Amino acid sequence: MKKVVKFGGSSLASAEQFQKVGKIIRSDAARRYVVPSAPGKRFGGDTKVTDMLYGCYRLAEEGKDFRGALENIKARYMEIIEGLSLNLSMDEQFEEIAKNFQNKAGENYAASRGEYLNGIVMAEYLGFEFVDAAEVICFDEDGNFDAEKTDEVMSKRLEGLQQAVIPGFYGAKPDGSVKTFSRGGSDITGSLVAKAVHADLYENWTDVSGFLVTDPRIVKDPATISTITYREMRELSYMGATVLHEDAIFPLRREGIPINVRNTNRPEDPGTMIVESTCNKPKYTITGIGGKKGFASITIEKAMMNSEIGFGRKVLQVFEENGLSFEHTPSGIDTFTVYVHQSEFESKEQQVIAGLHRAVQPDLIELESDLALIAVVGRGMRRTRGTAGRIFSALAHAHVNVKMIDQGSSELNIIIGVENRDFETAIQAIYDIFVTAQI
Amino acid sequence: MKKVVKFGGSSLASAEQFQKVGKIIRSDAARRYVVPSAPGKRFGGDTKVTDMLYGCYRLAEEGKDFRGALENIKARYMEIIEGLSLNLSMDEQFEEIAKNFQNKAGENYAASRGEYLNGIVMAEYLGFEFVDAAEVICFDEDGNFDAEKTDEVMSKRLEGLQQAVIPGFYGAKPDGSVKTFSRGGSDITGSLVAKAVHADLYENWTDVSGFLVTDPRIVKDPATISTITYREMRELSYMGATVLHEDAIFPLRREGIPINVRNTNRPEDPGTMIVESTCNKPKYTITGIGGKKGFASITIEKAMMNSEIGFGRKVLQVFEENGLSFEHTPSGIDTFTVYVHQSEFESKEQQVIAGLHRAVQPDLIELESDLALIAVVGRGMRRTRGTAGRIFSALAHAHVNVKMIDQGSSELNIIIGVENRDFETAIQAIYDIFVTAQI
């Protein structure tokens, strides 16, 4: 049994947090590969080490004195080291960083030092081997990530190691210069390690006990999703939910390695399992509710449009020619509606309308703005009869005017259009009927 | 107050039916313009006069003796004339018809005589002036209907007449040769007369008390629709309901003349009013339920398709290039489904799939066949909250698996996809929740 465990910045902000992490790792011998982030905020108003590094490097680049700023960063690490009673000096590392800052080694290098140093502390604390990510995460000359080479180099390097700490967020180009991932940071490193060592599980430890059924800014204390499929996660993330970045999932999905999102501060919580597929019956009929505001709809009416071959294509071509992507195209009889992002549409409105008139000679074009789309997502909806009935009854009961409904293939997700002002009410109503009512 | 009244063939099949018609017309002095069809069937297994005329003319064309067949037709009229105790001889008319049949005057001419002769009988019976449709319904040299000329000629001809009978179904080309309407027959004549005289109402008298909420072959004795808008009617007719032909409505719709579909055998029934728009609150939330079987769906899955500009257009272009029109394109997140007629799609299936792979490189294409589409139509749905909720709860209760939902702009109509085998159950369930439950 091999587990790769990745810890976010808030899990490693202080010696106290390190101790929680240490306890988690030592409680399970399978937790053999550790991917740390840089120390995050210890309290509200605190500065993340990575941001301190950016600030410090800016001084260096501007030729100003950056020694004081670098000392502050060193103090952050020494506080952790001393708090953990480790016998570890960081003098050598900070001397090298100072030298490289002086030589303008670049922002990528500067930013990466937070993880690098934290990895050294973590390895010392756990008694694991430290493996510099620059050795095992490979970018090409142009700075593009090289997945194949990384997998080869990392597999070989980690093969002989019983336990290792590999800092997240960065790697190196063939000339040895450091390159960071643009987004998803340490999550990507963690998934690459999990892939390389053929892990049985990739644990992603954060400060939340997994993904929530819906946005906590809309619904108070929403329930946690116990199991979510990659597909459901992508659907929810598309509709605005904060989940793992696509790049952090892709390597694992191909290998069928499940991800477990856990809370360092509440290790007793099971968190959320992210899996390729599962016959695990979900706790609630729905897995999650996502949504976004700020859409506009363009409804085209024309008698007998359905028998006009090429009608839909011509309509969509007008949007394409104006550089607009569309979200949904629900249709009735003799009506065809196109949902677009309002912000993108506004400046092109008149060209689009003129284009539609030229292209398909509609009987009528109707515009509506300030619309929101809500996605109700869940593999459980397929096997539960009446999901749509419950959703629309709940919305009616909550006095929400449903502007649009779109459901493609059998109830895997249902898209609902409402007015912006009904957005929160609608999400709360759907949450209540499926989750609150069941608790 | 001017009303144009049109009577169908079954309303004029016998002297007894003529008497009902006479009573209807005499009971309202505004019923000044009468458009009769040819006599229809008197009983199951009977032959319509128009079909007798086709048969008779075929004999003439083949150089066979058609006199006996023509005598049978004459007998039909004489039965009516004698039953009404009219002092009217048809000898002259039948002599002329015999002569023209001999000279091969054409099928159009032959078919038109049913209405022509019935018009003469009706005019005599009512004491109204007979106006031959050949005088007032104008086609051009190529046989295309000339709306402008017809309106001009007919207005002028009817202007001075207090009351008139104008036979349905035919008109004439500039050379005087008879031309019939291809479809909609006497309904078109009736609406043209109503337009020309600027009627306040066009009454279309048939053998049913108006339009039914749904197909009586699916639901036993469905309720009658009291008021339907032109638009709702078009929507229901598109989804398979038998209503007035589009050509019979167009002239009236532009003039804002309402149509009243009535039952000659139950003149006490108010029938169905067809109007451009109405603030008349409908009796039921829904106006009608239509539907058709025999659809197939093609679901295309591709991650992040919504951000690909031109994706939908490329998909629809593949269908267009294969000469396929589509019915609906419901979409979820990362899925785009196209509903097509199964019969048209089957032979092109493989080309379409290959085309889709080339055009958009989908992750997955899923096909499903034997699907039915149901349209729930009604202006009342807009102002009634929870219509969608009621529909989908009713379907869940009836164990119907909803495959697709499509609702464009605010609940004017909702399209529901189900399996063919659930079609009747679904329609019955929707009927029951909105109509039976309310009675």
Side-chain angles (χ1 to χ4, degrees), chain B residues 5-14 17-18 20-21 24-25 34-42 48-50 76 80 114-115 118 122 166 168-169 184-188 190 202-208 244 260-265:
Chain B
V5 289
K6 179 256 165 185
F7 290 89
S10 67
S11 299
L12 301 166
S14 64
Q17 290 298 88
F18 259 76
K20 289 183 193 168
V21 167
I24 289 165
I25 294 170
V34 181
V35 177
S37 300
K41 294 181 185 182
R42 291 159 297 183
K48 291 180 182 179
V49 164
T50 305
R76 283 289 304 266
I80 293 169
E115 275 77 8
N118 227 19
M122 179 63 86
I166 308 100
F169 189 39
S186 301
D187 286 335
I188 301 178
Y202 169 46
E203 291 180 342
N204 193 315
W205 292 82
T206 64
D207 52 3
V208 291
L244 292 181
N260 192 190
V261 177
R262 300 285 291 266
N263 189 346
T264 302
N265 303 314

Side-chain angles (χ1 to χ4, degrees), chain B residues 80-186:
Chain B
I80 293 169
I81 288 166
E82 281 156 23
L84 297 173
S85 312
L86 297 180
N87 183 18
L88 180 67
S89 158
M90 283 277 167
D91 296 348
E92 201 182 304
Q93 284 83 3
F94 273 90
E95 262 324 295
E96 195 190 341
I97 292 171
K99 201 177 71 192
N100 288 329
F101 274 32
Q102 196 78 55
N103 295 336
K104 301 187 173 134
E107 253 199 344
N108 273 276
Y109 170 78
S112 74
R113 293 305 91 185
E115 275 77 8
Y116 170 76
L117 295 167
N118 227 19
I120 291 172
V121 176
M122 179 63 86
E124 179 67 22
Y125 178 53
L126 296 171
F128 285 17
E129 172 135 353
F130 173 75
V131 176
D132 188 353
E135 282 182 57
V136 289
I137 303 277
C138 310
F139 291 84
D140 67 14
E141 286 82 357
D142 304 323
N144 298 312
F145 175 63
D146 186 338
E148 215 169 311
K149 193 177 163 199
T150 297
D151 200 48
E152 195 193 315
V153 171
M154 178 128 56
S155 301
K156 198 171 279 177
R157 178 73 177 86
L158 298 181
E159 207 173 21
L161 300 176
Q162 192 54 32
Q163 293 156 323
V165 173
I166 308 100
F169 189 39
Y170 72 95
K173 294 202 250 185
D175 65 2
S177 64
V178 164
K179 176 91 181 80
T180 57
F181 287 112
S182 56
R183 284 194 295 177
S186 301

Side-chain angles (χ1 to χ4, degrees), chain A residues 231 301 313 320 385 396, chain B residues 231 301 313 320 385 396:
Chain A
R231 187 183 169 139
E301 285 191 25
R313 191 264 306 158
E320 184 181 349
R385 255 190 309 121
Chain B
R231 189 187 169 136
E301 285 191 25
R313 192 266 305 160
E320 182 181 350
R385 256 190 309 120

Side-chain angles (χ1 to χ4, degrees), chain A residues 181-230:
Chain A
F181 288 111
S182 56
R183 284 195 296 175
S186 301
D187 286 334
I188 301 178
T189 308
S191 75
L192 292 171
V193 174
K195 181 175 189 290
V197 303
H198 305 293
D200 299 287
L201 182 67
Y202 169 47
E203 291 179 342
N204 194 315
W205 292 81
T206 64
D207 51 4
V208 290
S209 293
F211 298 142
L212 302 172
V213 170
T214 194
D215 190 336
R217 286 165 300 181
I218 297 172
V219 171
K220 197 169 171 288
D221 292 333
T224 302
I225 299 169
S226 58
T227 306
I228 191 170
T229 63
Y230 285 116

Side-chain angles (χ1 to χ4, degrees), chain A residues 108-109 112 137 139-140 142-145 169-173 176-182:
Chain A
N108 273 276
Y109 169 79
S112 73
I137 303 277
F139 291 83
D140 67 15
D142 305 323
N144 299 312
F145 176 63
F169 189 40
Y170 70 98
K173 294 202 249 186
S177 64
V178 164
K179 174 92 181 81
T180 57
F181 288 111
S182 56

Side-chain angles (χ1 to χ4, degrees), chain B residues 328-373:
Chain B
H328 294 283
T329 54
S331 55
I333 302 164
D334 297 344
T335 69
F336 188 83
T337 303
V338 182
Y339 269 72
V340 293
H341 287 273
Q342 190 163 339
S343 57
E344 293 171 14
F345 178 64
E346 268 167 352
S347 63
K348 292 165 179 173
E349 182 187 280
Q350 293 309 314
Q351 291 101 287
V352 170
I353 294 174
L356 289 171
H357 276 287
R358 273 195 303 274
V360 297
Q361 296 87 42
D363 297 340
L364 187 69
I365 296 180
E366 243 176 359
L367 300 180
E368 201 158 0
S369 56
D370 299 321
L371 298 172
L373 290 175

Side-chain angles (χ1 to χ4, degrees), chain A residues 45 48-49 74-75 85 135 153 156 158 162 171 251 276 306 324 332 343 397 412 419 435-436:
Chain A
K48 291 179 182 180
V49 165
K74 190 176 178 187
S85 313
E135 281 183 59
V153 171
K156 197 171 279 174
L158 298 180
Q162 193 54 31
E276 175 60 42
N306 296 56
L324 290 166
S343 57
H397 195 74
L412 216 90
E419 288 172 49
V435 183
T436 314

Side-chain angles (χ1 to χ4, degrees), chain B residues 186-251:
Chain B
S186 301
D187 286 335
I188 301 178
T189 307
S191 74
L192 292 171
V193 173
K195 180 175 189 290
V197 303
H198 304 294
D200 299 287
L201 182 66
Y202 169 46
E203 291 180 342
N204 193 315
W205 292 82
T206 64
D207 52 3
V208 291
S209 293
F211 299 143
L212 302 172
V213 170
T214 193
D215 191 335
R217 288 165 298 183
I218 297 172
V219 171
K220 197 168 170 289
D221 293 331
T224 301
I225 300 169
S226 57
T227 307
I228 190 169
T229 63
Y230 286 115
R231 189 187 169 136
E232 289 172 331
M233 192 169 67
R234 196 179 66 205
E235 291 174 359
L236 285 172
S237 84
Y238 179 76
M239 282 309 253
T242 312
V243 291
L244 292 181
H245 189 266
E246 188 78 11
D247 292 345
I249 290 156
F250 188 69

